[in-house]
Amino acid sequence: MGLDAALSRFLDHLAVEKQASVHTLDAYRRDLAALRAWAEGHGFIAWGDIDGLALRGLIADEHARGLSPPSVQRRLSACRALFRWLLKHGDIASDPSAGLRGPKAPRKLPQVLDADEMGQLVEVPDDGPLGVRDRAMMELFYSSGLRVSELCGLRWGDLDLAAGEVRVLGKGRKTRIVPVGRQARDALSAWAAAAAAAPQAGAPGVDPSPFAARPVFPGRDGATITPRAVQKRVRELAMRQGVWKRVHPHLLRHSFATHVLESSGDLRGVQELLGHANIATTQIYTHLDFQHLAKVYDGAHPRAKRKP
């Protein structure tokens, strides 16, 4: 089977069977298009012609031309997924990516806001319909640690405010139940009442479908709000609230995870709340927690203080 035919089958598998998100599919397409172009440029006419040595050359070339270590790792991850799938379906005799490692990337810890900064950020004045919506959105982000795509996809039927829960469709089309805090419940209740009572552009009242099926945070056309619109709004609200760090939706998720871990020490619980498939992804927050403890130690321990 030729390069293009096998690649098309694999991408169809990701879209249909794995139900990968649009962003995931776009990333795979870009990385595998680069792999295909490299294969064609080196005279390979079938995926089975590529061996480990040749693939190692691709990774070295990408690194040498200035592609960052995380980007090289992502490209290698796409290659692994393709070759494993081809091997499983008998299209190649061996996996050339087996045992292949990319360049190590320096571990970059995410920035977080402290509890005071988060309080300042989420306490958006709720005057007017947009104020009510914005307060509900910010409270929910911090209360439940949602990804921006998860928040955008929420319908009113996903929320059980009486029980303090929200049903979230996360990565890999996996559903999880996440708690919703009291202040977020209050803000969401106020937004639900305003949205139902005021049928105007951007509010669920303009939608003839059942209220439970309507987006919690609709865009201008009444459909679900876009991640880009949410990112822009979060940035605007941060500036309005006097929080001058580079604020974005994922920063609220980082802050949520860090604050819960600092208080509970329960890494597995934080993993479940965030919807991480692998606990190694969650462990970055233990490093953040240790940084906080190290600062406390340096400021408090008599033997830790530097001499003037």
Side-chain angles (χ1 to χ4, degrees):
M1 183 180 297
L3 299 176
D4 286 338
L7 200 52
S8 294
R9 281 179 52 211
F10 175 65
L11 291 171
D12 287 343
H13 156 74
L14 290 179
V16 178
E17 296 180 34
K18 291 292 187 180
Q19 295 188 316
S21 70
V22 172
H23 298 296
T24 299
L25 284 172
D26 284 345
Y28 269 100
R29 284 194 187 97
R30 287 194 301 271
D31 288 324
L32 295 176
L35 173 65
R36 180 177 55 77
W38 168 85
E40 288 177 342
H42 285 72
F44 296 111
I45 60 174
W47 294 113
D49 297 337
I50 301 173
D51 61 16
L53 185 61
L55 196 59
R56 189 174 290 111
L58 165 67
I59 300 304
D61 289 347
E62 295 285 46
H63 188 46
R65 73 179 181 86
L67 201 65
S68 68
S71 296
V72 175
Q73 289 282 12
R74 192 198 65 230
R75 187 151 296 175
L76 179 56
S77 177
C79 292
R80 286 195 191 101
L82 171 65
F83 285 118
R84 286 171 185 169
W85 183 83
L86 290 170
L87 182 64
K88 179 181 176 181
H89 288 80
D91 294 318
I92 58 176
S94 62
D95 178 2
S97 68
L100 189 58
R101 294 184 179 181
K104 276 193 173 182
R107 193 176 187 94
K108 187 177 180 181
L109 297 179
Q111 187 184 38
V112 296
L113 299 176
D114 62 32
D116 289 338
E117 289 172 321
M118 279 305 314
Q120 183 179 345
L121 177 61
V122 300
E123 290 174 4
V124 178
D126 55 5
D127 49 329
L130 272 186
V132 175
R133 184 206 67 178
D134 290 342
R135 179 64 177 266
M137 183 170 67
M138 300 300 280
E139 290 281 9
L140 182 58
F141 260 136
Y142 181 47
S143 165
S144 304
L146 303 186
R147 299 178 178 96
V148 64
S149 59
E150 294 169 347
L151 180 130
C152 290
L154 283 181
R155 307 280 172 171
W156 284 108
D158 296 324
L159 285 162
D160 185 343
L161 297 180
E165 296 176 348
V166 59
R167 183 175 64 251
V168 175
L169 185 64
K171 283 188 175 181
R173 311 290 295 178
K174 292 181 180 177
T175 302
R176 70 185 189 279
I177 305 295
V178 185
V180 179
R182 178 183 57 79
Q183 293 188 59
R185 293 201 304 271
D186 292 345
L188 285 161
S189 295
W191 169 230
Q200 57 186 356
V206 301
D207 190 337
S209 60
F211 190 76
R214 298 173 192 166
V216 175
F217 301 106
R220 291 182 180 177
D221 58 356
T224 54
I225 196 169
T226 65
R228 187 172 295 276
V230 173
Q231 289 162 358
K232 183 173 182 289
R233 190 61 178 166
V234 167
R235 192 162 55 244
E236 290 170 352
L237 291 171
M239 294 176 67
R240 183 187 300 177
Q241 294 297 100
V243 179
W244 299 111
K245 289 181 179 177
R246 182 177 170 271
V247 178
H248 49 87
H250 220 66
L251 179 62
L252 276 64
R253 180 170 159 89
H254 288 321
S255 302
F256 159 84
T258 303
H259 298 166
V260 172
L261 186 60
E262 282 177 354
S263 299
S264 68
D266 187 349
L267 189 64
R268 285 286 181 188
V270 173
Q271 179 193 6
E272 292 293 325
L273 290 170
L274 293 174
H276 285 162
N278 192 330
I279 199 167
T281 310
T282 320
Q283 282 175 331
I284 191 169
Y285 296 108
T286 64
H287 294 274
L288 289 171
D289 195 26
F290 179 79
Q291 282 191 337
H292 170 73
L293 292 174
K295 286 180 181 177
V296 172
Y297 176 86
D298 288 343
H301 197 289
R303 292 298 219 181
K305 295 177 180 177
R306 293 181 180 179
K307 293 180 180 180

